[in-house]
Amino acid sequence: MQRPQGLTRELMAMRVAQEFEDGMTVNLGIGLPTLVSSFLPEGRRVTLQSENGILGFGGISDGDFDQDLINAGGQPITLLPGASFCDSATSFGMIRGGHIDIAVLGGLQMSETGDLANWFVPARGGGSVGGAMDLAVGARKLIVVMEHTTREGEARILRECTYPLTGQGCVDLVVTDLAVIDVTPDGLVLREVAPGVTSEQVAALTDAPLRVPNSVAEMRL
Amino acid sequence: MQRPQGLTRELMAMRVAQEFEDGMTVNLGIGLPTLVSSFLPEGRRVTLQSENGILGFGGISDGDFDQDLINAGGQPITLLPGASFCDSATSFGMIRGGHIDIAVLGGLQMSETGDLANWFVPARGGGSVGGAMDLAVGARKLIVVMEHTTREGEARILRECTYPLTGQGCVDLVVTDLAVIDVTPDGLVLREVAPGVTSEQVAALTDAPLRVPNSVAEMRL
Amino acid sequence: MVARVYDTPAEALEGIEDGISLMIGGFVTAGLPTNLLEALFERGTRGITAITNALNSDTVLDRMCEAGRVDGLVATFAIRASSGKKSHFETLYRAGKVTLEMVPQGTFAERIRAGGAGIAGFLTRTGVGTPLAEGKLEMEVDGETYLLVRGLTADVAFIRAHRADTLGNLVYRRAARNFNPLMATAAGLVIAEVDEIVEPGAIEPEQVHTPAIFVDRMVQAPALPVSWDG
Amino acid sequence: MVARVYDTPAEALEGIEDGISLMIGGFVTAGLPTNLLEALFERGTRGITAITNALNSDTVLDRMCEAGRVDGLVATFAIRASSGKKSHFETLYRAGKVTLEMVPQGTFAERIRAGGAGIAGFLTRTGVGTPLAEGKLEMEVDGETYLLVRGLTADVAFIRAHRADTLGNLVYRRAARNFNPLMATAAGLVIAEVDEIVEPGAIEPEQVHTPAIFVDRMVQAPALPVSWDG
């Protein structure tokens, strides 16, 4: 089967941002998740937290570089009125203590029970953990955003992860270039497909069992 | 034997203060220990810490009462330049983490191995712990200041405490109205006697074994 | 979450039910949320487990005990060793009508911080060999004995701060800080009474003591005088 | 202790010997004590175990690795999952010439805070079921599995702050705070480089981030630019 054309990275980020509700505090992981900050839904007050000790920042800054004002990915950012700084223990207290409504992380693999692997690449024999393990267990809701398959077309959504884990049973929702899938106590449930993609195509590119309801909506972007 | 006349509370406080060296940070417990702040040795920079989150305060204030500026005993205090406030977790982090050079606590009983009992009075069937247990285990050096005997003339320095403990093996030095006694790995050693008091009198009023060196100095006040 | 500002302490308590565990900030006279406590007394809420540093006589909390509103207390100071004025709490405690969990003050602070930070327990030397070690697991680390102590959370926290912005960022005044910022992290519903509420941006980002994420409700109310008989 | 002010970073390192464990504050480009690190490199100190959030290529710490000064690293980020410029550290690590203890960042921060606060260990869910749980005790609390993780201390800490008073009270600028105030509590010898040093009283008592009790030595030195290739 030909792999269908999926969403661009920007559209994936846009779809993730729709999950944010008014008043929520959100942590965006390094890489693709960071893009989500450019697509925050208008009219909803969403507060961004960064694990290096910032609450309430805005977008990426294109002004003069301030070494002391960066997000967890090292990118320069802007501050919004009412922002605050704290030390890393307090910041991870927010995360581990369940005060972050949603964390968005990139993924390498996830399992049908919501295990996540996103920090170590066996083929390269390396990787670094950063704050991912804390975000995985600490956020009230964890959204993973990743390509549905590897560049070689291998499934990333598996019965069990083959890569070293970031966290067990931590993923609540995965947004890929092809689909939106809920992790439920009964396993993975397909919620939406990307425009032009069929449920059958998604299921075929998913190694884990995937429950496909009678009617699956198309993503609205 | 007639109990000899001992030091006044003020003189006991003055003797305790002599233990403070230049640059030290000191926590003074509630009651008699608080008096020590009035006798800080001139020319030595001693920083006072209070477990309710104050570092670098001065003496007791006799100005307008500020509800928000009190020591751990609830007394109004003054601030010195360079003082700072912190929350109680940080304050006890200083204490438990070994950052306080000397803590001074009152005592009800202590043992020959430096156990301290100072919070619960069995006769009254009550007492409250406050910060005493943290100070007992956390301070680098713990000085206990108390009357050598009870009002009824019973020894407070015992082989073993009969009152519920505050901490085990935590006392380094005890200053009483009659003597200064070191707690050493070899037991209690008499260091000084109060003016007009003999080593024999101190030993007779001490239930725990007390090593009396050949020459015992008289306290200089 | 963005904090909501209420007009009166009574309104800030909307929805609070009987049977709650309630953290109360403050140390002796400093940083006590007395407006909220008075409103809670007025409201008639019962079955409260109060988690607070100290219970002193002649305080609103002691009057709540007298009125039978308090089932239990977690505190570092509640029963005096010296004679003096007995609190209503002490009378009830000796009659077996209220419970008391006595906690060393540093452990009390750390338990609340842990509860708010998702730390289920921690190892401290404080209390080893004392009656307060009873029922706690002892562990050896590098030849030293520690107690394993559990984190502590509550349904509701009442705290007092000096200045807030409308988002819920808080700044405390002097030694009124004490347990307030810790309790702000450790309860399901956090209500702050403050001296003044300013616009976002009026507090320097470096000077925020409690970030807005921790605060649910706020009310502007001047500090009430607190009696304290030493 | 009252902090001592030194004229140069090199002088602030007096007495530092080979074989130390060394905490280094900072996060990517923010709040790194680069002046102290350059001075330590210059000094030729060897046998260092570095405890720092991240080791990136083209940094003074990586040059210290290249020069054989570093024996081991405790960090949250040291080996990249993606290809790109390899650090000297990674080359040495793959050759078995340096050790690496990888720690989740929240656990890393909490371990240092615990070390400084006399907490021997704590229970966290972070890392359960992952390779980083290996060798750690698992404990069940209320049906949830936690790892018992140890506190962390060091011989020396290098930190960077914005403003200090001569006693050693520190204020950090923006996100330069990160691990610096934690490390200030957890080392036997704490050396701070700062932008400016003012008289006691010039910093509001409520605005002190690191109380003077934690700081041993200070030196005024402007922040050096830090390279970072993303």
Side-chain angles (χ1 to χ4, degrees):
Chain A
M1 183 180 70
Q2 174 107 26
R3 188 193 194 289
Q5 180 74 34
L7 302 181
T8 61
R9 287 164 60 87
E10 283 71 20
L11 289 173
M12 291 164 70
M14 196 181 292
R15 177 62 192 84
V16 168
Q18 292 174 10
E19 296 295 308
F20 302 166
E21 294 167 20
D22 193 50
M24 279 188 167
T25 302
V26 170
N27 180 299
L28 303 174
I30 296 171
L32 178 45
T34 305
L35 256 186
V36 178
S37 69
S38 305
F39 300 99
L40 300 183
E42 236 171 286
R44 286 183 221 163
R45 290 170 305 175
V46 173
T47 304
L48 298 181
Q49 194 255 13
S50 187
E51 61 264 34
N52 55 322
I54 316 176
L55 183 70
F57 58 97
I60 304 300
S61 164
D62 49 11
D64 289 340
F65 179 56
D66 178 348
Q67 290 200 154
D68 293 341
L69 191 55
I70 54 167
N71 66 17
Q75 298 166 300
I77 54 171
T78 60
L79 284 187
L80 299 178
S84 63
F85 297 102
C86 62
D87 66 51
S88 299
T90 303
S91 182
F92 279 96
M94 290 180 189
I95 292 167
R96 202 192 303 100
H99 304 281
I100 304 294
D101 296 297
I102 294 182
V104 183
L105 290 177
L108 296 169
Q109 296 182 334
M110 66 167 274
S111 79
E112 61 175 316
T113 57
D115 293 352
L116 173 66
N118 82 342
W119 69 283
F120 192 94
V121 179
R124 174 155 155 73
S128 284
V129 68
M133 287 187 181
D134 304 281
L135 286 160
V137 304
R140 283 189 208 154
K141 177 175 181 175
L142 178 63
I143 301 178
V144 166
V145 54
M146 64 181 183
E147 303 285 331
H148 206 91
T149 61
T150 66
R151 219 171 283 180
E152 293 74 32
E154 288 161 4
R156 291 181 183 277
I157 304 175
L158 311 168
R159 285 180 179 275
E160 288 195 27
C161 296
T162 59
Y163 289 11
L165 292 188
T166 304
Q168 282 181 323
C170 53
V171 183
D172 296 292
L173 184 76
V174 58
V175 173
T176 75
D177 58 328
L178 303 182
V180 177
I181 296 171
D182 282 303
V183 183
T184 79
D186 302 326
L188 304 178
V189 180
L190 182 61
R191 193 205 289 183
E192 297 170 19
V193 290
V197 175
T198 67
S199 298
E200 292 70 26
Q201 287 173 317
V202 172
L205 292 165
T206 305
D207 265 14
L210 182 68
R211 294 180 54 183
V212 180
N214 290 335
S215 134
V216 175
E218 186 176 284
M219 286 187 212
R220 295 203 292 185
L221 297 161
Chain B
M1 185 179 71
Q2 173 108 27
R3 187 192 195 289
Q5 180 75 34
L7 303 181
T8 61
R9 287 164 61 86
E10 284 71 20
L11 289 175
M12 289 164 71
M14 195 182 294
R15 178 59 192 86
V16 168
Q18 292 174 11
E19 295 296 307
F20 303 166
E21 293 167 20
D22 192 49
M24 279 188 166
T25 302
V26 170
N27 181 299
L28 303 175
I30 296 173
L32 178 46
T34 304
L35 256 188
V36 178
S37 69
S38 304
F39 300 99
L40 300 183
E42 236 171 286
R44 286 182 222 164
R45 292 169 304 175
V46 172
T47 303
L48 298 180
Q49 195 257 11
S50 187
E51 60 265 34
N52 55 323
I54 316 176
L55 183 70
F57 59 98
I60 305 300
S61 165
D62 48 12
D64 289 341
F65 179 55
D66 178 347
Q67 290 200 153
D68 294 340
L69 190 56
I70 53 167
N71 66 17
Q75 299 166 300
I77 53 172
T78 59
L79 283 187
L80 299 179
S84 63
F85 298 102
C86 62
D87 66 51
S88 300
T90 303
S91 182
F92 280 96
M94 290 179 190
I95 292 167
R96 202 192 303 102
H99 304 281
I100 304 294
D101 295 298
I102 294 181
V104 183
L105 291 177
L108 295 169
Q109 293 183 336
M110 67 168 274
S111 80
E112 61 175 316
T113 56
D115 294 352
L116 173 67
N118 81 342
W119 70 282
F120 192 94
V121 180
R124 173 155 157 75
S128 286
V129 67
M133 287 188 182
D134 304 280
L135 286 160
V137 304
R140 284 190 208 151
K141 178 174 181 176
L142 178 63
I143 301 178
V144 166
V145 55
M146 63 180 185
E147 303 285 332
H148 206 92
T149 60
T150 66
R151 219 171 284 180
E152 294 72 32
E154 287 161 6
R156 292 181 183 277
I157 303 175
L158 311 168
R159 284 181 179 272
E160 286 194 29
C161 296
T162 59
Y163 288 11
L165 292 190
T166 304
Q168 283 181 321
C170 53
V171 183
D172 296 293
L173 184 77
V174 57
V175 173
T176 75
D177 58 326
L178 303 184
V180 177
I181 296 171
D182 283 302
V183 184
T184 78
D186 301 325
L188 303 179
V189 179
L190 182 61
R191 195 205 287 182
E192 297 171 16
V193 291
V197 176
T198 66
S199 300
E200 292 69 28
Q201 287 173 317
V202 173
L205 292 165
T206 304
D207 264 14
L210 181 68
R211 294 180 54 183
V212 179
N214 288 336
S215 135
V216 174
E218 187 177 285
M219 287 187 211
R220 295 206 291 186
L221 297 160
Chain C
M1 290 298 290
V2 177
R4 179 163 164 202
V5 179
Y6 288 77
D7 288 335
T8 66
E11 289 169 278
L13 303 187
E14 66 168 352
I16 285 191
E17 296 182 355
D18 290 350
I20 54 167
S21 55
L22 175 66
M23 288 180 176
I24 305 165
F27 187 99
V28 193
T29 58
L32 275 88
T34 39
N35 294 281
L36 293 171
L37 285 169
E38 294 287 358
L40 188 71
F41 190 20
E42 197 69 26
R43 187 180 171 88
T45 304
R46 312 184 76 82
I48 296 163
T49 300
I51 301 166
T52 191
N53 181 59
L55 186 141
N56 294 312
S57 57
D58 293 326
T59 58
V60 55
L61 185 58
D62 197 35
R63 282 186 278 127
M64 287 169 67
C65 291
E66 182 185 21
R69 309 283 178 74
V70 176
D71 286 357
L73 181 66
V74 181
T76 84
F77 190 99
I79 308 282
R80 294 197 176 195
S82 57
S83 53
K85 185 163 180 191
K86 218 183 246 185
S87 64
H88 297 291
F89 173 82
E90 179 172 344
T91 304
L92 292 164
Y93 173 67
R94 293 194 184 278
K97 297 202 171 142
V98 290
T99 62
L100 170 62
E101 180 181 354
M102 179 85 70
V103 185
Q105 200 169 112
T107 299
F108 181 79
E110 191 72 12
R111 286 182 67 188
I112 296 166
R113 183 195 170 276
I119 300 294
F122 57 88
L123 298 175
T124 177
R125 284 180 298 140
T126 302
V128 170
T130 78
L132 302 190
E134 273 165 33
K136 294 185 177 59
L137 188 66
E138 287 194 356
M139 297 185 76
E140 294 272 326
V141 178
D142 296 338
E144 188 91 41
T145 304
Y146 293 85
L147 300 179
L148 179 64
V149 180
R150 299 276 296 270
L152 190 60
T153 57
D155 299 318
V156 181
F158 286 177
I159 63 173
R160 178 164 187 87
H162 176 52
R163 175 182 285 187
D165 69 21
T166 54
L167 300 179
N169 289 301
L170 303 182
V171 173
Y172 304 92
R173 183 174 175 274
R174 300 192 147 179
R177 198 178 315 181
N178 56 69
F179 302 93
N180 285 300
L182 310 173
M183 291 177 173
T185 70
L189 176 68
V190 175
I191 312 179
E193 56 169 74
V194 302
D195 289 321
E196 59 169 334
I197 300 178
V198 298
E199 288 303 307
I203 302 174
E204 284 293 310
E206 280 96 345
Q207 291 169 16
V208 170
H209 294 140
T210 289
I213 193 173
F214 295 118
V215 181
D216 300 298
R217 301 180 184 180
M218 290 187 296
V219 61
Q220 189 172 342
L224 301 178
V226 179
S227 73
W228 163 244
D229 57 2
Chain D
M1 291 297 290
V2 176
R4 181 166 163 201
V5 179
Y6 288 77
D7 287 334
T8 66
E11 288 169 279
L13 304 188
E14 65 168 353
I16 286 190
E17 294 181 356
D18 290 350
I20 54 168
S21 55
L22 175 67
M23 289 181 176
I24 306 165
F27 187 99
V28 192
T29 58
L32 276 88
T34 38
N35 292 283
L36 293 170
L37 287 169
E38 293 286 358
L40 188 69
F41 190 19
E42 197 70 26
R43 187 180 171 89
T45 304
R46 313 184 75 83
I48 296 163
T49 299
I51 300 166
T52 191
N53 181 59
L55 185 143
N56 293 311
S57 56
D58 294 326
T59 58
V60 54
L61 186 57
D62 197 35
R63 283 185 278 127
M64 287 169 67
C65 292
E66 182 186 19
R69 310 282 178 75
V70 176
D71 285 358
L73 181 65
V74 181
T76 85
F77 190 100
I79 308 282
R80 295 196 176 195
S82 57
S83 52
K85 186 164 180 191
K86 218 183 247 183
S87 64
H88 297 293
F89 173 82
E90 180 173 345
T91 305
L92 291 164
Y93 174 66
R94 293 193 183 278
K97 298 204 170 141
V98 290
T99 62
L100 171 61
E101 180 181 355
M102 179 85 70
V103 184
Q105 199 169 114
T107 300
F108 181 79
E110 191 71 12
R111 286 182 66 189
I112 295 165
R113 184 195 170 277
I119 301 294
F122 57 89
L123 297 175
T124 177
R125 285 180 299 139
T126 302
V128 170
T130 78
L132 302 191
E134 274 166 32
K136 294 186 176 59
L137 188 66
E138 287 194 357
M139 296 185 76
E140 295 273 325
V141 179
D142 296 338
E144 188 90 41
T145 305
Y146 293 84
L147 300 179
L148 179 65
V149 180
R150 300 276 296 270
L152 190 59
T153 58
D155 299 318
V156 182
F158 286 177
I159 63 174
R160 178 165 186 85
H162 176 51
R163 178 181 283 186
D165 70 19
T166 53
L167 299 179
N169 289 300
L170 302 182
V171 173
Y172 303 92
R173 183 174 175 274
R174 300 192 148 182
R177 199 177 315 180
N178 57 69
F179 302 93
N180 284 301
L182 310 173
M183 291 177 173
T185 70
L189 176 68
V190 176
I191 312 178
E193 55 168 75
V194 301
D195 289 322
E196 58 170 334
I197 300 177
V198 298
E199 287 303 308
I203 302 174
E204 284 293 310
E206 281 96 346
Q207 292 170 16
V208 169
H209 294 140
T210 290
I213 193 173
F214 295 118
V215 180
D216 299 298
R217 300 180 185 180
M218 291 187 296
V219 61
Q220 189 173 342
L224 301 178
V226 179
S227 74
W228 163 244
D229 57 3

